[in-house]
RNA sequence: GACUUGGUAGCUCAGCUGGUAGAGCAACGCCCUUUUAAGGCGUGGGUCCUGGGUUCGAGCCCCAGCCAAGUCACCA
C-alpha cells in the first residue's frame, strides 16, 4: 500500500490517540439533542435558548489561534461554527485534550461530538461555545478542501471546488461530504418518488414487485443483459421492462398496479443513459390512453408543486411549466408542424424518400414505423421544450398498444415530451390475444431483418391474455430523466448515486509479507517503495549492484539512521529469489 | 461505437520555442483568546495517467494504450 505523507500522519495520529487512552472508534452511542440546521434556524439571542446542546459531525475547517480555536462541524443537516477554548475544555491542570488531541491529533474530516451552548460571535455568526469534546471517528484520508467566501457585493464564491466528474462519481461519498448541493439533488429525487407514490396510493392503486430475473425479456425494444442460473441450468435475462408482468396482474384481477422498477438495458452509456435505470410503470383497468393523459398531467403537476412549490421549473436556459393542461399534437401533426410535410398518407417507399430528403440517415432494416419515428425524433422532439403530449403512433412501432379506434394504421399511444426528451410513454393496452400474437410475429420478422431490438414472443403472456384482460391503460415514466428535469441536472450521472463506470485500473502492489517472503527486511520496504519497486516482478528485474547502491543511497536520503544497510549478497538474494544465509 | 478535449502534490490549477517541476489551499513546526477563504514566519510533499519512440536532454514533440468529460449514433 502506498500512502501519502498526510495519510501516514493521520495513521500516526490514530496510534497516538490510542496511546493516550482515547478510542478513535468508540462503540458507545453518542446522543445528540439537536441539529446544526435547527440551531441556525431557531437560535434567538434574546430568548437565550440552546443552552444545553449536544451535536455531532465532521470537522470541516479549523482556525486555530493559540489557546482558542474556531472549527466548523458538519452534520447531516448542514454546518455550524464551534468555538473552543483551552481552559474551558480542559478545566484542570492537564491541557492535553486541547493542546494535543484537538490541535495535533484531530484533522479535517474527523467525527467529533460536542456539548455546549449557542452564542453569537463579534462578527455575528451563530456558533456553539464548546464545553466538552468527544472523539467519535478518526478519518485517515484527507478530504478535498472546498472554501466559500462572500465578496463585497454579497456574491458567493467557491474556491478549490471538487469538480472532477470522474472522482465525484467514483467517490460519491466524498462528493456528498464536500458539495452540499449534491445532497439536495438526491433528496429531491426521493421526494419525487414519494410524491408519485402518495398520488397513486391515494387513488387506491397497489404498489407491487415483479421479477427482475426473467427467462424471456419483453415489454420494450432493447437488448438485454444475460445471466445464468446454476441450479436451473438455464439462461436468465435481467428485465428490460416490467410491462408484461404487470399486465398479467391486471388479468389476475387487480384494478390498478404500479411498480418503481430498476430496468437493465445492454446499450451504450451517455449523459442520458445508464445501463440500469428506474422507471415507474402503472396499469389501470377499464381506462384508456386519453384518461391516462389526464392522470400524467395531474401527477406531474403535483410533483412539481411538491418539489418546488410552483409548477415552473428552471431547467438549463428554459423555464418549464408543468401547469395543466399541456399542449397536444398527434404525431403526424407534430411532423407537419415542424417540417411542413404531411406524411399521414405515405407508404414505406415515400417515407424513406421523405427521410432522405430531410437528411435523416436510414437503412433497409427500418420499417414504416421506424422511419416515422426517426423523422419525429430528428425534427420534432428536440424542439419540444414545454411538456407536450404526442399522440397516435404508427402501429409498427408499438406492438403492445391497442389499435386506434378510428384510424386502423395507428395505435392509441402517447408520449410526453419535455425539454426535448421523452419523459413518459403510455397507451391503451392491446388486449386482443389474436392481434397480440400477430404483432409479436411481425416483431419476429423485424428481428429476421436485422433489428436486434425486436421483441420476442412470450407464450405465457399470450396465454394470460387469452383468459381475458380488461381494457387497460398503461404508463411508463423514466424516473431518472424526470429527476434530471426536476433538479436541473444536465446528466443522468448527477441523479444516480453510483452511476455505472468502467472499473478503476488496479495495480496489484506487493504486500509487506510478499517482500518479507522475498527476503527483504521489513524496515527496508519503504526504501524499495521510494525507488519505484512496487511489485516482486519489478524487484526481480532489477540489476543487483545498481539496486544495492540505490537502496543504500535512498536509506541515507530518507534519514533512516536506525536502519542497517543491506549487504550486496542480501540484495542479490532478493533479486534471485533465494533467501540469504 | 466515432470525433473533440483533458489526466501535473491530498484538492484546485500554472508550467514559455523541449533545458532536471511551481502557486494557493491542505499537511508539518513555531507565534496568536471572538476568527471566518483568519493571519504571520518557516518546512516537507510529485511513477507529471501507462508503455514505447525522437532527442545530448521530454510534463511539453510522435505512436500505441488506459480513464474521464463533451458532442454525435442507439435507446428511456
Amino acid at each position: 500500500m502506498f500512502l501519502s505523507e498526510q495519510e501516514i500522519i493521520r495513521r500516526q495520529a490514530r496510534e497516538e490517540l490510542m496511546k493516550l487512552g482515547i478510542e478513535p472508534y468508540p462503540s458507545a452511542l453518542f446522543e445528540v439533542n439537536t441539529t446544526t440546521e435547527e440551531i441556525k434556524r431557531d437560535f434567538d439571542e434574546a430568548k437565550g435558548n440552546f443552552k444545553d446542546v449536544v451535536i455531532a459531525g465532521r470537522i470541516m475547517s479549523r482556525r486555530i489561534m493559540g489557546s482558542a480555536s474556531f472549527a466548523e462541524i458538519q452534520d447531516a443537516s448542514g454546518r455550524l461554527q464551534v468555538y473552543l477554548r483551552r481552559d474551558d475544555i480542559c478545566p484542570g491542570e492537564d491541557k492535553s485534550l486541547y493542546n494535543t488531541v484537538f490541535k495535533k491529533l484531530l484533522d479535517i474530516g474527523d467525527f467529533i461530538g460536542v456539548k455546549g451552548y449557542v452564542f453569537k460571535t463579534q462578527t455575528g455568526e451563530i456558533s456553539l461555545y464548546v464545553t466538552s469534546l468527544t472523539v467519535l471517528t478518526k478519518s485517515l484520508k484527507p478530504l478535498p478542501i472546498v472554501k466559500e467566501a462572500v465578496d463585497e457585493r454579497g456574491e458567493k464564491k467557491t474556491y478549490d471546488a471538487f469538480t472532477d466528474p470522474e472522482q465525484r462519481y467514483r467517490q460519491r461519498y466524498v462528493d456528498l461530504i464536500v458539495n452540499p448541493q449534491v445532497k439536495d439533488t438526491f433528496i429531491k429525487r426521493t421526494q419525487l418518488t414519494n410524491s408519485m407514490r402518495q398520488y397513486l396510493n391515494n387513488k387506491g392503486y397497489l404498489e407491487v414487485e415483479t421479477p427482475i430475473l426473467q427467462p424471456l425479456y419483453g415489454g420494450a425494444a432493447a437488448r438485454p443483459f444475460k445471466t445464468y442460473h446454476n441450479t436451473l441450468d438455464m439462461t436468465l435475462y435481467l428485465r428490460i421492462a416490467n410491462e408484461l408482468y404487470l399486465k398479467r396482474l391486471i388479468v389476475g384481477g387487480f384494478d390498478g398496479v404500479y411498480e418503481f422498477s430498476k430496468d437493465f438495458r445492454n446499450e451504450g452509456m451517455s449523459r442520458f443513459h445508464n445501463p440500469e435505470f428506474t422507471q415507474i410503470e402503472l396499469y389501470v383497468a377499464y381506462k384508456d390512453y386519453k384518461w391516462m393523459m389526464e392522470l400524467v398531467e395531474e401527477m406531474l403537476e403535483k410533483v412539481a408543486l411538491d418539489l418546488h412549490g410552483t409548477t415552473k421549473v428552471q431547467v438549463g436556459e428554459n423555464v418549464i411549466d408543468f401547469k395543466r393542461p399541456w399542449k397536444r399534437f398527434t404525431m403526424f401533426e407534430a411532423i407537419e408542424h415542424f417540417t411542413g410535410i404531411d406524411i399521414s398518407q405515405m407508404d414505406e417507399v415515400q417515407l424513406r424518400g421523405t427521410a432522405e430528403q430531410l437528411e435523416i440517415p436510414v437503412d433497409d432494416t427500418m420499417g414504416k414505423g421506424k422511419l416515422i419515428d426517426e423523422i419525429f425524433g430528428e425534427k420534432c422532439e428536440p424542439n419540444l421544450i414545454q411538456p407536450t403530449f404526442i399522440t397516435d403512433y404508427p402501429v409498427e412501432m408499438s406492438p403492445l398498444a391497442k389499435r386506434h379506434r378510428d384510424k386502423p394504421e395507428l395505435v392509441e399511444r402517447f408520449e410526453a415530451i419535455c425539454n426535448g426528451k421523452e419523459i413518459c410513454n403510455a397507451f391503451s393496452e392491446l388486449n386482443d390475444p389474436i392481434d397480440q400474437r400477430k404483432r409479436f410475429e411481425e416483431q419476429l420478422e423485424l428481428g429476421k431483418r436485422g433489428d436486434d431490438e425486436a421483441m420476442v414472443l412470450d407464450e405465457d403472456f399470450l396465454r394470460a391474455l387469452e383468459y381475458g384482460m380488461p381494457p387497460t391503460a398503461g404508463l411508463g415514466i423514466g424516473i431518472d430523466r424526470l429527476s434530471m428535469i426536476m433538479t436541473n441536472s444536465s446528466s443522468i450521472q448527477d441523479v444516480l448515486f453510483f452511476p455505472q463506470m468502467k472499473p478503476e485500473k488496479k495495480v496489484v502492489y506487493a504486500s509487506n509479507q510478499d517482500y518479507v517472503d522475498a527476503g527483504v527486511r521489513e524496515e527496508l520496504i519503504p526504501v524499495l517503495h521510494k525507488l519505484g519497486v512496487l511489485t516482486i516482478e519489478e524487484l526481480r528485474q532489477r540489476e543487483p549492484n545498481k539496486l544495492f547502491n540505490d537502496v543504500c543511497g535512498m536509506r541515507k536520503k530518507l534519514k533512516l539512521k536506525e536502519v542497517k544497510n543491506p549487504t550486496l549478497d542480501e540484495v542479490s538474494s532478493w533479486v534471485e529469489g533465494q533467501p540469504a544465509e
Side-chain angles (χ1 to χ4, degrees):
Chain A
M1 181 129 72
F2 238 1
L3 297 174
S4 69
E5 184 196 24
Q6 293 191 45
E7 289 173 294
I8 292 165
I9 287 165
R10 283 173 179 234
R11 277 168 170 72
Q12 287 165 352
R14 172 183 171 277
E15 298 287 329
E16 289 296 316
L17 285 170
M18 288 172 164
K19 276 187 204 152
L20 287 171
I22 295 168
E23 171 54 63
Y25 305 96
S27 39
L29 68 80
F30 186 87
E31 205 152 1
V32 302
N33 62 14
T34 184
T35 64
T36 60
E37 189 185 30
E38 262 179 36
I39 292 171
K40 280 190 287 192
R41 191 186 56 219
D42 297 337
F43 176 66
D44 186 335
E45 236 176 341
K47 276 191 209 154
N49 52 356
F50 291 108
K51 280 277 183 264
D52 199 0
V53 162
V54 186
I55 58 168
R58 261 183 217 278
I59 301 173
M60 293 306 287
S61 72
R62 284 195 304 172
R63 296 180 283 278
I64 296 172
M65 300 166 299
S67 60
S69 298
F70 287 95
E72 277 177 299
I73 299 239
Q74 176 168 292
D75 67 8
S77 69
R79 287 189 189 186
L80 182 74
Q81 176 167 275
V82 300
Y83 177 68
L84 295 99
R85 248 173 54 145
R86 182 176 59 203
D87 296 337
D88 289 308
I89 64 168
C90 306
E93 284 300 300
D94 179 8
K95 304 295 183 192
S96 62
L97 180 64
Y98 182 81
N99 286 342
T100 310
V101 176
F102 178 74
K103 275 170 71 175
K104 311 244 185 214
L105 301 180
L106 288 180
D107 290 291
I108 290 173
D110 292 350
F111 282 92
I112 59 170
V114 288
K115 294 183 190 180
Y117 59 87
V118 178
F119 75 111
K120 253 190 194 165
T121 61
Q122 287 178 0
T123 47
E125 180 160 347
I126 295 172
S127 307
L128 181 73
Y129 197 112
V130 176
T131 52
S132 98
L133 174 148
T134 312
V135 177
L136 295 178
T137 293
K138 179 74 202 159
S139 151
L140 298 183
K141 274 185 125 33
L143 287 170
I145 309 295
V146 181
K147 291 199 171 181
E148 272 183 357
V150 182
D151 64 18
E152 312 86 52
R153 278 167 292 171
E155 282 170 28
K156 225 191 234 178
K157 225 179 149 186
T158 305
Y159 297 85
D160 300 334
F162 180 64
T163 54
D164 178 20
E166 175 173 3
Q167 290 201 72
R168 287 187 47 224
Y169 301 151
R170 281 197 198 283
Q171 301 187 49
R172 181 67 86 183
Y173 34 89
V174 176
D175 192 27
L176 288 163
I177 295 166
V178 304
N179 293 329
Q181 68 287 5
V182 173
K183 244 180 171 171
D184 295 338
T185 297
F186 287 99
I187 292 170
K188 280 236 156 52
R189 182 183 169 128
T190 298
Q191 285 173 344
L192 184 155
T193 50
N194 285 347
S195 172
M196 284 190 178
R197 191 170 268 128
Q198 188 188 40
Y199 175 87
L200 295 171
N201 287 347
N202 279 345
K203 297 220 158 207
Y205 306 143
L206 186 71
E207 181 168 11
V208 298
E209 292 181 276
T210 62
I212 292 172
L213 288 174
Q214 305 182 348
L216 283 177
Y217 57 94
R223 296 213 305 271
F225 284 91
K226 211 170 161 178
T227 185
Y228 178 77
H229 189 283
N230 290 343
T231 310
L232 290 173
D233 185 24
M234 70 183 289
T235 299
L236 290 170
Y237 300 92
L238 300 187
R239 72 175 164 207
I240 57 172
N242 38 359
E243 170 149 2
L244 301 187
Y245 281 95
L246 291 176
K247 285 195 214 169
R248 283 170 169 98
L249 296 179
I250 298 295
V251 170
F254 290 105
D255 277 349
V257 288
Y258 71 94
E259 180 173 11
F260 285 97
S261 56
K262 265 286 175 75
D263 290 341
F264 305 83
R265 298 190 184 173
N266 211 336
E267 290 157 357
M269 287 147 62
S270 75
R271 83 193 164 93
F272 291 105
H273 300 88
N274 196 61
E276 56 181 289
F277 65 102
T278 305
Q279 273 203 100
I280 180 173
E281 287 194 32
L282 165 71
Y283 294 85
V284 185
Y286 315 118
K287 307 296 185 196
D288 67 1
Y289 78 132
K290 290 183 177 166
W291 176 89
M292 189 62 92
M293 268 189 268
E294 310 281 330
L295 180 141
V296 168
E297 275 177 340
E298 190 177 60
M299 180 163 70
L300 293 191
E301 187 187 65
K302 167 178 152 53
V303 165
L305 283 167
D306 285 351
L307 265 59
H308 300 286
T310 161
T311 55
K312 293 190 171 76
V313 181
Q314 181 82 39
V315 182
E317 308 274 284
N318 305 312
V319 174
I320 292 178
D321 193 347
F322 286 92
K323 190 165 180 52
R324 287 181 286 169
W326 299 354
K327 217 178 343 172
R328 298 182 187 196
F329 271 133
T330 68
M331 181 166 254
F332 290 145
E333 283 166 4
I335 289 173
E336 191 169 354
H337 182 264
F338 286 106
T339 66
I341 302 170
D342 177 7
I343 61 163
S344 60
Q345 306 304 320
M346 290 187 183
D347 61 19
E348 187 173 323
V349 178
Q350 290 171 303
L351 282 169
R352 182 162 283 120
T354 304
E356 280 162 359
Q357 179 198 329
L358 293 168
E359 292 178 347
I360 295 161
V362 293
D363 64 62
D364 292 342
T365 68
M366 290 179 181
K368 197 173 158 184
K370 190 87 175 167
L371 287 166
I372 294 171
D373 192 37
E374 287 294 318
I375 294 170
F376 176 77
E378 195 70 27
K379 294 294 167 195
C380 307
E381 205 173 41
N383 299 317
L384 294 166
I385 302 303
Q386 295 303 323
T388 305
F389 287 119
I390 303 296
T391 62
D392 301 349
Y393 283 60
V395 64
E396 293 86 348
M397 50 192 283
S398 312
L400 300 165
K402 193 178 255 185
R403 237 172 252 280
H404 196 281
R405 57 196 78 176
D406 305 318
K407 304 166 209 159
E409 285 285 281
L410 303 177
V411 290
E412 298 201 346
R413 171 178 175 181
F414 72 86
E415 290 190 358
I417 313 289
C418 177
N419 206 34
K421 281 276 166 190
E422 172 192 342
I423 55 169
C424 86
N425 183 14
F427 26 88
S428 302
E429 302 293 335
L430 177 56
N431 62 345
D432 174 351
I434 305 295
D435 192 0
Q436 182 67 78
R437 180 176 293 277
K438 225 171 80 200
R439 303 271 198 99
F440 274 143
E441 280 163 359
E442 282 161 13
Q443 285 290 307
L444 294 179
E445 279 307 307
L446 284 177
K448 283 182 197 152
R449 274 170 82 170
D451 185 347
D452 53 9
E453 291 175 347
M455 293 188 193
V456 295
L457 193 147
D458 187 333
E459 282 293 349
D460 178 70
F461 174 66
L462 288 172
R463 179 168 63 190
L465 285 192
E466 285 171 14
Y467 284 101
M469 181 174 81
T472 298
L475 166 73
I477 298 178
I479 296 294
D480 312 284
R481 295 269 177 90
L482 185 60
S483 297
M484 286 168 67
I485 289 171
M486 290 293 177
T487 62
N488 193 13
S489 301
S490 58
S491 73
I492 199 168
Q493 283 86 353
D494 289 327
V495 298
L496 296 168
F497 273 126
F498 303 103
Q500 197 56 242
M501 311 268 289
K502 289 197 189 174
E504 272 181 277
K505 203 171 33 167
K506 238 202 207 145
V507 181
V508 184
Y509 296 121
S511 69
N512 283 12
Q513 191 57 48
D514 293 335
Y515 287 110
V516 172
D517 290 345
V520 181
R521 273 184 280 135
E522 203 154 348
E523 55 204 11
L524 288 170
I525 293 169
V527 179
L528 288 178
H529 280 162
K530 211 70 203 170
L531 290 169
V533 181
L534 301 174
T535 65
I536 299 300
E537 294 75 57
E538 177 76 39
L539 179 66
R540 299 271 192 256
Q541 283 162 16
R542 293 290 171 122
E543 206 284 309
N545 285 309
K546 176 157 171 29
L547 183 60
F548 172 67
N549 278 330
D550 288 347
V551 169
C552 296
M554 186 57 75
R555 187 206 67 110
K556 194 173 173 191
K557 196 178 163 195
L558 293 174
K559 299 185 185 121
L560 297 170
K561 285 192 183 121
E562 68 288 358
V563 175
K564 224 177 74 191
N565 268 327
T567 63
L568 177 56
D569 281 351
E570 204 179 338
V571 174
S572 302
S573 76
W574 304 343
V575 175
E576 283 146 27
Q578 300 293 325
E581 290 308 314

